Amino acid sequence: MRAQNTELPFFDERAATKTDVPLTVANAETKSLRKMAVKAKKQKPYNVLFLLVDDLRPALGVYGDAVAKSPQIDRFAQQAYVFERAYSNQAVCVASRYNLLLGSRSTSTGLYDFGRAFRDFYPEATTMPEHFKKNGYYTAAIGKVFHIGHNTYNDERSWTDAHAYDLVVEYADKSKKGETREEALFANIPWSEANKLRKGAPWECLDVPDETYADGRVAQLAATRLAYLKEQDKPFFLAVGFARPHLPFSVPKKYWDRYRVNDLPMPAIQTNPAASPSYANKRDGEIVQYLGIPSSEESDPFPDSLTRKLIHGYYAGVSYVDEQIGKVLQQLHATGLDENTIVVLWGDHGYLLGEMGMWTKHVNHELANRIPLLIRHPTLKGQVKTKALIETVDIYPTLAELCGIDVESTQQPLDGKSFMPLLMNETTETKDYVYHCFPRDGKLGRAIRNDRYRLIAWQSFGGAGTPTYELYDYKNGLVEKKNTWRADHPAFLKLKKALELEPRPAPFRPESVKREVKFEEKTK
């Protein structure tokens, strides 16, 4: 029996006004955040626990996803700010993490792709954790924080202690010897050598302990580090990065077993939006780098059985990472550190699960860019939901202000705007729109999303030629059906004016010099 089709597997924009908890009914303590931030300079500083999740769209119960089994995050959200309209600045791992850690949009730095070391272009940049470090904080990273792989590396200057990295791509079944293509790329083996290797499986479902895979080990190490930090007399900024639900969906069997296959949401629309330019859409790419996934020439869309299996694997990954995050939060509470720690849970970008026939990310569409963002402040009692528009780059200045740390001038451009006034209950809005981009086929698509519409302008990086536009209306759902652009459309005229006020995009930075990795040694 075919599962019921749905275009809205999470947060329903049409029902938002009925389900949101108005910011104005937040507890009275929320109103004192300004005073708390000022006092932070005179009293014991707040700690920061920053939880980063790879490829997590808002497929969580707290965001209205009736299918997702995410009890740990949902419980955490009961005492947190829940941002229902938070967005990435670029829907790809490396750029979105630069956006977060530098507070800079890709269009400001020119860091759109893998293989660009930001310190080659901004040698004196001050990252978010480095900013805390300069202000007396112990800073540390466990798991995936900066993107590592594809000729991209960690930034040692950001951390007090050495980065405790773990794997993104891994398999518990060791019957097949040697690295797969994706394992090699994440180990910074050159593309030319990695492309010679076999593809790995897109999923794995084995009856193994949580610690068999990286996220279980990362949670375990984070818990140990929190116990250590409890005994230290120094504020900390601890970043803990999780890999799932990134491909491959290598997840212990018990998390697959949480879902009834026929209850999983299947995409109702598996074709490109009508009247959209071909280069704005996606086929193949990341998903076909795994064994048994057909190219679009072979099958477009995928067979229902494969679509359902991939969706099953994604949700299993959500439940697995939810459990690991719960372990970290439980340890934070057990140590008593939660009484003085700001906790942030952030997804680096959205994700497509077959909607419009597209998979993973790398486009400007809604589901690839909308992210989960939850922030727990020690003074908050209860849940506060808000539809205020937030960009990833806004997090850097906000966290600094919450901790009473002035944001000094930095070598890299700081594009973020603190949403401290929102958290103080002084306003219900932060900005009129969010801004993001994605380069495809030699063009750059710059996008503006307001409360109802998204305008995307496609043009060459040099700005030559007349832009091609897309305009999408989300009044009736989050999946793009038709490009409704016309030159006299009122929404187009309004958003075009706003887009023209944004700075011209920076050119694509050249690739950094590759670090030496001996392929023969790595694959022995």
Side-chain angles (χ1 to χ4, degrees), residues 279-300:
Y279 50 77
N281 301 304
K282 180 186 180 184
R283 292 296 186 274
D284 303 328
E286 180 181 6
I287 191 76
V288 299
Q289 306 310 317
Y290 291 88
L291 191 67
I293 304 298
S295 69
S296 56
E297 292 183 353
E298 298 170 309
S299 180
D300 186 6

Side-chain angles (χ1 to χ4, degrees), residues 322-388:
D322 173 77
E323 189 69 23
Q324 309 322 306
I325 287 171
K327 294 174 184 177
V328 178
L329 295 173
Q330 182 180 10
Q331 176 72 335
L332 186 74
H333 177 72
T335 59
L337 288 169
D338 59 324
E339 296 178 3
N340 198 53
T341 299
I342 297 168
V343 183
V344 181
L345 192 153
W346 171 80
D348 58 356
H349 45 68
Y351 206 79
L352 289 154
L353 290 170
E355 292 92 355
M356 301 170 288
M358 303 180 206
W359 292 87
T360 73
K361 53 269 188 183
H362 310 129
V363 290
N364 276 317
H365 297 305
E366 177 78 3
L367 298 187
N369 287 280
R370 177 170 274 183
I371 60 173
L373 176 63
L374 299 97
I375 299 178
R376 178 193 176 275
H377 193 281
T379 66
L380 180 66
K381 307 299 180 185
Q383 182 184 92
V384 179
K385 288 188 175 183
T386 174
K387 298 188 295 297

Side-chain angles (χ1 to χ4, degrees), residues 145-210:
V145 181
F146 282 96
H147 181 93
I148 296 177
H150 310 83
N151 191 34
T152 313
Y153 302 84
N154 177 48
D155 178 59
E156 290 82 1
R157 276 173 45 182
S158 292
W159 314 111
T160 305
D161 270 347
H163 179 198
Y165 184 65
D166 213 316
L167 301 174
V168 173
V169 178
E170 65 179 324
Y171 301 95
D173 182 0
K174 305 302 181 184
S175 62
K176 294 182 179 180
K177 303 298 182 182
E179 282 187 316
T180 66
R181 177 187 183 276
E182 295 302 302
E183 286 176 294
L185 287 174
F186 275 95
N188 274 315
I189 298 298
W191 290 82
S192 58
E193 299 295 345
N195 285 333
K196 299 175 184 177
L197 300 176
R198 65 182 176 87
K199 293 181 178 181
W203 58 74
E204 189 173 66
C205 177
L206 300 175
D207 190 5
V208 294
D210 288 359

Side-chain angles (χ1 to χ4, degrees), residues 195-472:
N195 285 333
K196 299 175 184 177
L197 300 176
R198 65 182 176 87
K199 293 181 178 181
W203 58 74
E204 189 173 66
C205 177
L206 300 175
D207 190 5
V208 294
D210 288 359
E211 293 73 28
T212 303
Y213 300 114
D215 285 352
R217 301 188 296 268
V218 164
Q220 196 172 58
L221 182 55
T224 301
R225 189 69 60 91
L226 286 170
Y228 163 78
L229 293 172
K230 170 65 176 177
E231 304 305 318
Q232 308 307 305
D233 187 26
K234 192 173 185 178
F236 64 80
F237 181 104
L238 180 61
V240 183
F242 296 95
R244 298 286 81 80
H246 192 287
L247 281 163
F249 304 134
S250 300
V251 179
K253 180 177 180 296
K254 61 184 176 181
Y255 298 104
W256 291 77
D257 292 345
R258 290 188 180 186
Y259 295 92
R260 291 164 50 95
V261 174
N262 288 335
D263 290 342
L264 295 169
M266 292 284 284
I269 299 172
Q270 298 189 71
T271 55
N272 291 338
S276 64
S278 60
Y279 50 77
N281 301 304
K282 180 186 180 184
R283 292 296 186 274
D284 303 328
E286 180 181 6
I287 191 76
V288 299
Q289 306 310 317
Y290 291 88
L291 191 67
I293 304 298
S295 69
S296 56
E297 292 183 353
E298 298 170 309
S299 180
D300 186 6
F302 292 164
D304 279 0
S305 58
L306 176 58
T307 296
R308 197 182 302 277
K309 185 73 173 185
L310 290 168
I311 292 172
H312 191 180
Y314 184 86
Y315 274 92
V318 170
S319 291
Y320 172 56
V321 77
D322 173 77
E323 189 69 23
Q324 309 322 306
I325 287 171
K327 294 174 184 177
V328 178
L329 295 173
Q330 182 180 10
Q331 176 72 335
L332 186 74
H333 177 72
T335 59
L337 288 169
D338 59 324
E339 296 178 3
N340 198 53
T341 299
I342 297 168
V343 183
V344 181
L345 192 153
W346 171 80
D348 58 356
H349 45 68
Y351 206 79
L352 289 154
L353 290 170
E355 292 92 355
M356 301 170 288
M358 303 180 206
W359 292 87
T360 73
K361 53 269 188 183
H362 310 129
V363 290
N364 276 317
H365 297 305
E366 177 78 3
L367 298 187
N369 287 280
R370 177 170 274 183
I371 60 173
L373 176 63
L374 299 97
I375 299 178
R376 178 193 176 275
H377 193 281
T379 66
L380 180 66
K381 307 299 180 185
Q383 182 184 92
V384 179
K385 288 188 175 183
T386 174
K387 298 188 295 297
L389 293 162
I390 302 292
E391 298 177 35
T392 284
V393 293
D394 298 330
I395 297 173
Y396 183 158
T398 302
L399 270 184
E401 189 172 5
L402 283 172
C403 292
I405 301 173
D406 294 329
V407 178
E408 61 195 38
S409 61
T410 60
Q411 186 184 32
Q412 83 272 20
L414 282 178
D415 297 312
K417 176 183 178 183
S418 173
F419 48 88
M420 181 79 170
L422 181 74
L423 303 181
M424 291 185 306
N425 203 28
E426 291 181 355
T427 180
T428 57
E429 299 293 337
T430 56
K431 54 181 69 177
D432 295 330
Y433 60 83
V434 293
Y435 173 99
H436 60 86
C437 73
F438 207 90
R440 295 187 61 82
D441 292 358
K443 299 177 178 62
L444 180 65
R446 295 189 299 147
I448 280 183
R449 169 63 151 108
N450 67 10
D451 60 346
R452 177 169 169 177
Y453 293 94
R454 172 179 278 105
L455 174 68
I456 308 169
W458 291 94
Q459 203 166 13
S460 68
F461 271 90
T466 302
T468 298
Y469 293 105
E470 296 176 90
L471 181 68
Y472 295 105

